[in-house]
Amino acid sequence: MKAGFLQYSPVFCDPEKNLLKLSEMLDKAPDSDLLVLPELCNSGYNFESREQAMAFSENLNDSKFIDFLQGYCQKRNTWIASGINERSGDSLFNSAILVGPAGLVGKYQKIHLFLNEKDIFSPGNAGLPVFDTPKGKIGLLVCFDWIFPEVWRILALKGADVICHCSNLVLPGFAQRSVPVHALLNHVYVITANRIGTEKDLTFTGMSTIADPSGNVICQSPPENEDIAVFDLDFALARNKQITPRNNLFVDRRPELYKDLLTL
Ligand code: ACM
């Protein structure tokens, strides 16, 4: 299983230039089974208003961005996880999609909105799906979701081999330090694809990361440069939740004692 990410700067509010840029990056990518792209890749991030974000959103049933990704997946027999500015009726969602050679596989809508996103997007209500593909079981998260351990655990319990974390991170390296720990605690692979560049007052922090189920950092990009990384991942490692001969990460859980999580 070859999987990795693209680290680059999506073009703000210019769909044509944006697809050209992405196309340039994808052309340089080596063969892979799964590529992860940053958050809000079809539109850019730092909108002045909800109206501006709406103007550059796409309905997932009629999306040039998804058609473009599908074309690449067909040509290269691969799957792509990407952030997308999703319009659904009158609502906007900061979503992640999984696309394969046959088109859209499914979506996740960011549950935990960051800063001004709260003025623009609705909090996600599409749950925390895990998609069973010919390449493995794939879960999706978006950026600030990283700080909530519950979502990582739910995706792991649902059988995710790899969690694709589409990001536009701005806090200084916090998520990049945490992602290997989430990988370790849940015994899954994590691929964080973070963007670079600046949009108005926000500078994005790069350092896209792949972590293995033991929490090892397989690779981490520099903070400011474009980067493309693809590595061999062994999903058998993620499926083995045995920590010691007498300890299994899932079997040893005591969910009957965790009920406070639902009420506090
Ligand atoms: C973020 O959630 N884009 C920081």
Side-chain angles (χ1 to χ4, degrees), residues 147-236:
I147 208 167
F148 300 90
E150 296 86 349
V151 294
W152 301 92
R153 178 49 57 96
I154 287 169
L155 291 175
L157 286 168
K158 286 184 173 179
D161 299 310
V162 59
I163 297 176
C164 302
H165 180 217
C166 304
S167 295
N168 283 185
L169 294 159
V170 293
L171 300 176
F174 295 167
Q176 292 93 335
R177 290 205 297 278
S178 304
V179 154
V181 178
H182 288 304
L184 168 64
L185 295 183
N186 293 289
H187 226 65
V188 293
Y189 283 96
V190 179
I191 303 175
T192 295
N194 192 26
R195 61 164 291 176
I196 53 169
T198 297
E199 285 181 4
K200 298 195 277 291
D201 56 326
L202 293 180
T203 295
F204 304 97
T205 56
M207 299 171 71
S208 296
T209 301
I210 306 179
D212 79 9
S214 299
N216 300 307
V217 175
I218 295 175
C219 79
Q220 191 161 72
S221 298
E224 288 172 0
N225 305 338
E226 288 183 355
D227 198 17
I228 299 172
V230 171
F231 282 81
D232 271 316
L233 311 187
D234 178 2
F235 283 173

Side-chain angles (χ1 to χ4, degrees), residues 42 57-70 84-85 97:
N42 64 331
S57 62
E58 289 179 72
N59 187 308
L60 301 196
N61 299 318
D62 177 23
S63 160
K64 286 206 172 107
F65 185 71
I66 293 177
D67 290 348
F68 170 81
L69 295 182
Q70 181 185 0
I84 187 166
N85 176 359
I97 48 171

Side-chain angles (χ1 to χ4, degrees), residues 5-49:
F5 58 77
L6 304 188
Q7 172 170 300
Y8 73 107
S9 178
V11 182
F12 185 61
C13 293
D14 189 334
E16 256 172 55
K17 275 200 193 139
N18 193 40
L19 283 188
L20 272 177
K21 177 69 202 166
L22 180 53
S23 170
E24 260 174 48
M25 295 295 293
L26 286 169
D27 282 348
K28 288 189 230 160
D31 283 340
S32 67
D33 301 297
L34 173 67
L35 277 179
V36 186
L37 311 185
E39 178 180 6
L40 292 178
C41 265
N42 64 331
S43 63
Y45 180 81
N46 198 1
F47 300 109
E48 271 154 30
S49 63

